[in-house]
Structures are given as structure tokens and as C-alpha cells.
């Protein structure tokens, strides 16, 4: 089956058709043609009877999950100094650790652990931050290519407000390294592509942002960064960019806040109405990172408002502020923190439902990669085979209930198959 992208799966199929609609088909048939979903059927149509069929028995078949925000070099310090807030955490944990990736032996060892873990996980698509180091970033891209996952990887840009041992010397040097990186990886990979990655406004001078803007226009690549995560950070941005109306405007003035540059911004915990309006207008994607926002005392994003306004929103683990790579965990956390916001902050914003959390982790985030994250006809065939037989229960359960239990109770051991674009990962 590894080389044949025309086949049929039989099993219990669950997928989002939109934000609120979770479709379930018990003992249905999922048809893949040329790496894309042809359709979901209760009874297999006659024209597909000659395709190879795999019967997954009573297992669940769901779309692959998308992580819109994860830091590969931070995987090595998960679970450390989690009592700090964002800016202190960056100086204590992040910058010293990311500086180590100048050593390519260390980078290869650390990134191999990350790549192996991502391959075993439920994630089939991801937007990944690397470090400022061009050679190490290419090592990460090489290793992610070997996993078969579809990922976007970014060499980080930063030329101010970080330690001397972890800061690019000048905007010109950052530009030169970024262009050399893009030229070296151009057309090199089947599964991995580059994404422009200014770390966040406090670490990028206006001159650097201007140079990155020119790079974005020339190479037509997407952009990832951070937005309105922490109150101290937002105050800092106001001091650094007094001419900007709000945090997002500091990106937008350089053409890196949505249209025409496809953009994903992590967090958006404290986005103002003006910022939200611009995100909607420009089609900016929100990477909601509930565990990270809790661990770093950042706050609770108004996810209900983003969903109700039909904004582009998916989930991120934000390792290492998030402690693991599980998007299933991010789904559960998205529900939990939305309840706290509803109860403690704003009773007008109802909690996120399970269907909505599942949507964000599949179709919502997957759409950043195109027609991804669902079994709608024509969508790229990313799929997970989930075995919940070792999670016993005394009562009969619907497929929706089984999926919800899986989100809360499972781990990687329950994933029995993983596919991207019709190719088997394991």
C-alpha cells in the first residue's frame, strides 16, 4: 500500500465538515484516489470494488492533525522552569538552549529526537520554528523530510533584544543568511517547505522587517510569528513601535500580516477589536496554544469569539511552553481553558465544544496547508487509524463519544496507522 495511493479503508470514520458539524459513519468506506479523498460511503460504490481494501475492524479513522505552532529546538527542555512568565522564560530557558544549535552535532542529536517523536505522534502537518542558525535549520529540514510528514520549517530571524551569544549581528547579515538558506533548500524537498520566521516584533528591528518583507515578496513564502501573547510583551511592543496602532499593525506595515503573505500568528490572547478586524480582513491564521498560555501565565485567548466570527483558527502545542507534541491534548485544553474564561472572565463567550476543538485540530488548522484536515471529496488524504480497544467502558458509546474519550484518554500507543497524501508513515 505504501506506493499505491488508490485504495479503500473500512472502519468507523469521523471528520469535520465545518466548524460545528462532525460527521460519523459507522463501518463506512473511505476511498483514496491518487492521494486524495474521493469520498466517504456507507456502502462501497461498484466502481471502487476492485481497489485494494483494508478493513480496520472496529478502529476509528480520522483526519491527520495539524500543529500550527511548535518550536523544534525547545523540545529538549520541556517541563523545565514552568513557573516563569514569558519574557523571563525566554531569557532563562529559550535563548541559552537555542544558542546550542550552532553546534551541528548537538543540533543533529536534538533534532533527531524531535523528528522521531513527531513521526510517532498524531500530527501529519506542522509549522515549525528552528533557530537563527542556517546549517542547523537545514539539518532539521532534512530530518523532517525523512519522516514523510508535511511540514513548514523556518529559520528564525532576530537582531535585537536577545543575548549577544544568540543574536544575528545585523539586519544585513540576517537577510543574507535567510536568502542563502532559501536558495539552498529551494526544490530540495518533497514534504518540507520554508516559512519566513521573524521571531516576534521585540526581537526584530524595523530595518530587518523591511529586508524580510522584500524576501517574502521575492520568494512568495508564508510567514509565522507571535502576536499579543503576554501583557508585558504588548507593552514592550508599544514602546518599541510607537507609530504602530497595535501589535498586529507592526507586522502589517511590512506586508507580513496576511494577504498577500499567507500568515499564521501564535496566541492572540489579548488582540484588540482593531487587531481582530485586520486579522479577519487579511485572512491571518490564529494558532491557539492553550497549554502554553496557561503554563506561562499569559492568559486565555477568546477562542469563542474567533470561532463565532469565522476566523481562520487552528491549534498549536507551542513546545516547550507546551509540554508535549499532542494536538489531542491541545483539543482537550482548548475546551478546558474556554470554560475558565467563560466562568471567570466573560460569561458572554460560551465554552468551546468538542466538535469545535476537533475542527481546530484538523480542518481549521489544516486549511493553512490547502485542502487538508478532512475527508471532504478532493482533500489531501491525511489519516489516522485509532485503536481505543484498550480504553474499556461498561456502557455502549456512539462514535462521537468514542472520539471524545480518545481525545482525553489516549496516547501515541493507540495510533495504529498514519498516512499523509495517501502514503503510509507507519
Amino acid at each position: 500500500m505504501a506506493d499505491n495511493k488508490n485504495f479503500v479503508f473500512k472502519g468507523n470514520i469521523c471528520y469535520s465538515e465545518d466548524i460545528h458539524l462532525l460527521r460519523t459513519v459507522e463501518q463506512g468506506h473511505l476511498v483514496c484516489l491518487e492521494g486524495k479523498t474521493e469520498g466517504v460511503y456507507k456502502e462501497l460504490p461498484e466502481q471502487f470494488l476492485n481497489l485494494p481494501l483494508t478493513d480496520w475492524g472496529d478502529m476509528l479513522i480520522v483526519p491527520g492533525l495539524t500543529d500550527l505552532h511548535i518550536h523544534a529546538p525547545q523540545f529538549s527542555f520541556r517541563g523545565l522552569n514552568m513557573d516563569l512568565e514569558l519574557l523571563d522564560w525566554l531569557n532563562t530557558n529559550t535563548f541559552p538552549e537555542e544558542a546550542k544549535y550552532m553546534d551541528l552535532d548537538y543540533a543533529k542529536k536534538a533534532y533527531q529526537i524531535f523528528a522521531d517523536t513527531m513521526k510517532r505522534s498524531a500530527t501529519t502537518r506542522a509549522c515549525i520554528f528552528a533557530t537563527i542558525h542556517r546549517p542547523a535549520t537545514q539539518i532539521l529540514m532534512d530530518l523532517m523530510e525523512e519522516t514523510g510528514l508535511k511540514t513548514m520549517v523556518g529559520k528564525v530571524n532576530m537582531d535585537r533584544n536577545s543575548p549577544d551569544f544568540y543574536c544575528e549581528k545585523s539586519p544585513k547579515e540576517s537577510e543574507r543568511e535567510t536568502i542563502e538558506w532559501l536558495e539552498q533548500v529551494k526544490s530540495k524537498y518533497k514534504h518540507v517547505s520554508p516559512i519566513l520566521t521573524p521571531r516576534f516584533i521585540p526581537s526584530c528591528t524595523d530595518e530587518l522587517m523591511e529586508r524580510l518583507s522584500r524576501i517574502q515578496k521575492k520568494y512568495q513564502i508564508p510567514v509565522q510569528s507571535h502576536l499579543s501573547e503576554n501583557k508585558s510583551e504588548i507593552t514592550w511592543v508599544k514602546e518599541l513601535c510607537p507609530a504602530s496602532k497595535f501589535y498586529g499593525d507592526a507586522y502589517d506595515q511590512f506586508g507580513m500580516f496576511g494577504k498577500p503573505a499567507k500568515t499564521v500568528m501564535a496566541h492572540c490572547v489579548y488582540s484588540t477589536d482593531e487587531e481582530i478586524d485586520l486579522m479577519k480582513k487579511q485572512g491571518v491564521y490564529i494558532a491557539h496554544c492553550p497549554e502554553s498560555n496557561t503554563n506561562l501565565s499569559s492568559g486565555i485567548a477568546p477562542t469563542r469569539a474567533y470561532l463565532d466570527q469565522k476566523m481562520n483558527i487552528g491549534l498549536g502545542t507551542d513546545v516547550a511552553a507546551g509540554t508535549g507534541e499532542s494536538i489531542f491534548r491541545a483539543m482537550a485544553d482548548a475546551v478546558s481553558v474556554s470554560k475558565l474564561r467563560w466562568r471567570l472572565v466573560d460569561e458572554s463567550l460560551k465554552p468551546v465544544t468538542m466538535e469545535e476543538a476537533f475542527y481546530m485540530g484538523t480542518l481549521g488548522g489544516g486549511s493553512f496547508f490547502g485542502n487538508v484536515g478532512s475527508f471532504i471529496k478532493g482533500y489531501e488524504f491525511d489519516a489516522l487509524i485509532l485503536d481505543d480497544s484498550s480504553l474499556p467502558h461498561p456502557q455502549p458509546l456512539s462514535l462521537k463519544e468514542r472520539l471524545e474519550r480518545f481525545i482525553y484518554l489516549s496516547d501515541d500507543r493507540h495510533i495504529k496507522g498514519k498516512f499523509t497524501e495517501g502514503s503510509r508513515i507507519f
Side-chain angles (χ1 to χ4, degrees):
M1 191 192 308
D3 296 320
N4 180 11
K5 294 190 176 186
N6 301 298
F7 53 83
V8 179
F9 284 169
K10 183 180 179 183
N12 297 309
I13 303 164
C14 307
Y15 63 101
S16 294
E17 290 191 333
D18 60 34
I19 295 176
H20 305 293
L21 180 57
L22 176 71
R23 187 181 179 204
T24 61
V25 182
E26 189 168 354
Q27 289 303 301
H29 298 82
L30 174 60
V31 179
C32 177
L33 294 180
E34 300 300 324
K36 294 185 178 181
T37 301
E38 194 286 328
V40 176
Y41 305 93
K42 182 62 179 175
E43 301 296 333
L44 187 63
E46 185 176 352
Q47 66 263 38
F48 304 125
L49 291 177
N50 292 327
L51 291 177
L53 185 147
T54 302
D55 188 341
W56 294 100
D58 197 38
M59 296 187 197
L60 302 174
I61 305 173
V62 305
L65 309 188
T66 294
D67 190 336
L68 283 182
H69 186 68
I70 185 168
H71 294 259
Q74 296 180 15
F75 199 77
S76 56
F77 64 82
R78 291 172 304 144
L80 298 176
N81 290 313
M82 300 309 289
D83 54 349
L84 299 176
E85 288 193 42
L86 173 64
L87 299 181
D88 289 337
W89 182 81
L90 288 172
N91 288 313
T92 302
N93 274 16
T94 304
F95 296 151
E97 175 62 25
E98 291 191 10
K100 296 177 184 177
Y101 288 74
M102 181 181 294
D103 179 344
L104 297 188
D105 288 336
Y106 183 83
K108 188 167 186 179
K109 180 180 179 181
Y111 281 151
Q112 186 70 66
I113 295 170
F114 173 80
D116 289 346
T117 304
M118 291 297 286
K119 183 173 182 176
R120 293 192 303 270
S121 76
T123 299
T124 53
R125 310 265 173 158
C127 295
I128 304 172
F129 278 58
T131 65
I132 65 174
H133 310 104
R134 174 178 49 79
T137 300
Q138 290 174 236
I139 287 174
L140 174 60
M141 295 177 84
D142 290 345
L143 293 171
M144 292 310 300
E145 176 70 11
E146 292 174 8
T147 68
L149 308 186
K150 300 285 285 189
T151 60
M152 297 182 188
V153 174
K155 187 203 88 64
V156 172
N157 299 99
M158 47 195 293
D159 69 334
R160 69 174 175 184
N161 293 324
S162 58
D164 290 341
F165 59 78
Y166 188 57
C167 190
E168 292 175 300
K169 293 178 182 178
S170 68
K172 191 172 183 179
E173 181 201 68
S174 182
E175 176 187 44
R176 183 177 63 249
E177 285 289 292
T178 301
I179 291 173
E180 186 171 348
W181 163 62
L182 290 172
E183 289 294 331
Q184 288 175 342
V185 303
K186 187 166 57 178
S187 304
K188 181 179 179 182
Y189 304 109
K190 180 181 178 182
H191 306 295
V192 183
S193 59
I195 183 168
L196 203 60
T197 308
R199 185 178 210 105
F200 64 162
I201 289 296
S203 69
C204 298
T205 61
D206 284 358
E207 183 184 349
L208 175 56
M209 293 296 284
E210 288 171 0
R211 290 174 183 271
L212 293 179
S213 179
R214 291 197 293 268
I215 290 172
Q216 193 285 321
K217 289 180 175 66
K218 178 180 178 180
Y219 289 89
Q220 295 291 298
I221 59 173
V223 177
Q224 63 179 352
S225 195
H226 300 83
L227 181 69
S228 299
E229 177 179 2
N230 173 281
K231 288 183 176 180
S232 298
E233 170 205 21
I234 294 168
T235 299
W236 197 12
V237 171
K238 287 180 181 177
E239 294 170 355
L240 293 168
C241 308
S244 296
K245 300 171 188 174
F246 45 87
Y247 198 158
D249 187 48
Y251 291 105
D252 188 53
Q253 63 182 312
F254 300 106
M256 288 191 286
F257 199 66
K259 298 174 184 175
K262 196 167 191 177
T263 302
V264 57
M265 289 284 166
H267 307 300
C268 307
V269 176
Y270 297 102
S271 293
T272 62
D273 289 342
E274 270 189 301
E275 190 165 271
I276 290 169
D277 287 345
L278 186 59
M279 282 194 282
K280 287 168 61 178
K281 177 184 175 183
Q282 302 286 78
V284 172
Y285 275 73
I286 299 163
H288 176 40
C289 306
E291 188 192 4
S292 165
N293 296 155
T294 301
N295 285 337
L296 297 184
S297 307
S298 295
I300 307 170
T303 312
R304 163 59 55 210
Y306 298 147
L307 288 168
D308 286 352
Q309 295 185 61
K310 295 181 169 54
M311 297 176 71
N312 294 323
I313 183 168
L315 296 174
T317 58
D318 195 24
V319 166
T323 55
E325 76 292 340
S326 173
I327 289 293
F328 282 131
R329 165 73 188 270
M331 292 177 191
D333 286 341
V335 174
S336 296
V337 300
S338 73
K339 290 179 178 179
L340 289 176
R341 186 176 178 105
W342 168 68
R343 178 61 69 196
L344 302 176
V345 181
D346 185 350
E347 290 190 352
S348 73
L349 296 180
K350 294 181 180 179
V352 171
T353 66
M354 184 279 281
E355 290 93 337
E356 291 167 334
F358 184 73
Y359 163 85
M360 286 191 286
T362 55
L363 181 55
S367 63
F368 189 75
F369 288 81
N371 288 333
V372 172
S374 180
F375 295 140
I376 297 170
K377 183 173 182 177
Y379 272 55
E380 295 179 25
F381 191 94
D382 291 8
L384 301 171
I385 311 300
L386 311 178
D387 183 1
D388 62 349
S389 61
S390 63
L391 303 173
H393 52 89
Q395 75 276 44
L397 297 173
S398 67
L399 290 188
K400 175 187 169 183
E401 290 169 330
R402 287 175 62 187
L403 177 61
E404 185 170 17
R405 288 178 89 247
F406 196 93
I407 289 170
Y408 280 89
L409 303 180
S410 69
D411 57 42
D412 292 352
R413 292 171 295 179
H414 299 96
I415 304 171
K416 300 303 180 183
K418 180 173 176 177
F419 301 78
T420 58
E421 289 188 297
S423 294
R424 187 162 192 170
I425 305 299
F426 64 77

